[in-house]
Amino acid sequence: MDKIVKGLSNDHNIKITITDATNLLNEIIKLHETNPLATIALARTTMATILIGSDMKEESDKITSILNGKGPIGTIMAEYTGHKVRAFCANPQFSLEEIDRDHDVISQVVGTKGYLQVIKDLGMKEPFTGKIKLISGEINLDFTYYLVQSEQIKSLIACSVKLNKDNTIEKAVGLYAQLLPEHQEEDIDYLEGKVENLGSITEKLIESDDLKNIFHLIDPACKIYEPEEIKFSCSCSFEKALESVKLLGEEQINEVLENNSEVEIVCDFCRTKYLISSDDIKKLMIS
């Protein structure tokens, strides 16, 4: 079962959330036929989105992360709402030959010249939107930096992925540690010390067979709560696909109507294909 597990360190005023998203990420990468490096980048972005979204209170609340560093993978988008997850990347099969294996590969895949944008729709008049320039492109540090800059939360995001020889995911685990509002100066020093050991934490995320051990990396006395199940699910529908026809140019719509033909709409997230007939478009225009 894919899950989110939350914990609380009373000694250091730190809230800890861990996700194991191995199964749902395997569903996503199978749909998009990602190459190995695209798999890692897409998985890290998706887990970071799940972790930040785990703070939302209502099932209808939604968080969307958009990452574009001008790298070969193009735009990565992940969405989390009501314990349901979906994600995609623009170029899942970019050429691996352009990646220099002697340097940080994920930073090259994502790029470092773009941005990370996080949109939270909490059912208010307008969604909250935060946007930062990427500082590394390796994703973990970028989400950590986003939380500090846009939400003023001292935090640590660490997401790690291990692949099988057939390029499926053997394990995908992420950790989110954040200081509570009542934190003290020594709690900041404590968490910053953990941030400095980010590399070793990401290794232990994969090595550990028990999520409790990961909580104890932050605080051995951490209180751990019951897990919450998460799953891959796409909210696309024929009705939404039909509405998207409005985004087509007038010339293209008229061509479909004149030829009595169809428009194929493909969902970016789940690759479901919807065939919109000229009759469907006529009904849409009338309504």
Side-chain angles (χ1 to χ4, degrees):
M1 179 184 80
D2 291 333
K3 55 196 170 186
I4 294 170
V5 186
K6 297 178 180 179
L8 184 63
S9 167
N10 289 311
D11 291 341
H12 301 287
N13 292 304
I14 300 173
K15 180 180 177 181
I16 305 164
T17 306
I18 296 173
T19 184
D20 183 337
T22 304
N23 296 320
L24 70 86
L25 284 169
N26 269 319
E27 289 186 67
I28 290 171
I29 66 168
K30 183 178 180 180
L31 284 169
H32 296 285
E33 300 180 342
T34 51
N35 67 37
L37 297 184
T39 292
I40 294 172
L42 183 58
R44 285 187 187 178
T45 304
T46 303
M47 285 191 287
T49 303
I50 293 168
L51 290 166
I52 297 175
S54 67
D55 283 339
M56 300 185 302
K57 296 180 179 179
E58 303 296 332
E59 285 290 296
S60 58
D61 292 345
K62 180 171 70 175
I63 181 171
T64 304
S65 298
I66 305 169
L67 184 69
N68 190 328
K70 312 298 182 184
I73 196 172
T75 298
I76 304 173
M77 183 180 292
E79 181 182 289
Y80 176 73
T81 180
H83 295 85
K84 298 175 182 177
V85 186
R86 62 180 190 167
F88 78 92
C89 58
N91 300 312
Q93 282 289 345
F94 60 85
S95 173
L96 297 176
E97 293 180 0
E98 55 189 294
I99 304 300
D100 182 356
R101 300 285 179 159
D102 293 330
H103 296 85
D104 186 273
V105 293
I106 299 304
S107 292
Q108 295 175 67
V109 168
V110 172
T112 59
K113 297 180 180 179
Y115 63 89
L116 167 62
Q117 184 175 18
V118 177
I119 304 165
K120 288 184 177 181
D121 186 347
L122 306 179
M124 299 180 180
K125 195 170 184 180
E126 296 290 338
F128 167 81
T129 300
K131 189 174 183 180
I132 60 154
K133 291 182 179 180
L134 298 181
I135 61 169
S136 78
E138 66 82 60
I139 301 171
N140 286 326
L141 290 175
D142 296 299
F143 272 93
T144 298
Y145 182 68
Y146 159 79
L147 288 165
V148 173
Q149 293 297 311
S150 292
E151 300 193 11
Q152 287 76 53
I153 301 174
K154 286 279 188 179
S155 306
L156 162 66
I157 291 279
C159 299
S160 196
V161 184
K162 183 179 181 181
L163 301 183
N164 294 306
K165 290 182 179 179
D166 63 357
N167 293 328
T168 57
I169 297 174
E170 179 180 332
K171 194 171 185 180
V173 182
L175 177 146
Y176 174 28
Q178 58 177 305
L179 287 167
L180 297 174
E182 60 269 25
H183 69 268
Q184 305 297 316
E185 191 67 33
E186 56 265 30
D187 298 323
I188 297 176
D189 294 337
Y190 183 85
L191 183 58
E192 286 180 346
K194 297 299 179 181
V195 172
E196 290 174 3
N197 291 318
L198 181 62
S200 62
I201 289 177
T202 54
E203 291 173 7
K204 288 182 173 63
L205 287 173
I206 294 299
E207 293 170 359
S208 178
D209 293 326
D210 189 340
L211 293 184
K212 290 181 181 178
N213 295 334
I214 303 173
F215 282 99
H216 295 158
L217 289 174
I218 305 297
D219 180 6
C222 183
K223 180 180 179 181
I224 303 172
Y225 297 92
E226 288 298 311
E228 303 169 28
E229 184 177 3
I230 56 175
K231 62 182 180 179
F232 166 75
S233 180
C234 190
S235 58
C236 71
S237 65
F238 178 83
E239 289 72 24
K240 290 180 180 179
L242 182 58
E243 280 293 316
S244 71
V245 171
K246 293 178 180 179
L247 301 176
L248 299 176
E250 183 178 346
E251 183 178 341
Q252 188 174 354
I253 291 176
N254 288 335
E255 184 180 341
V256 173
L257 294 175
E258 289 171 6
N259 297 327
N260 197 30
S261 56
E262 296 177 322
V263 176
E264 182 180 84
I265 304 293
V266 181
C267 175
D268 287 330
F269 290 98
C270 70
R271 311 308 299 163
T272 297
K273 296 179 180 180
Y274 296 95
L275 290 177
I276 311 298
S277 69
S278 56
D279 287 340
D280 293 324
I281 296 175
K282 289 175 184 176
K283 292 176 184 177
L284 177 66
M285 294 173 68
I286 293 172
S287 64

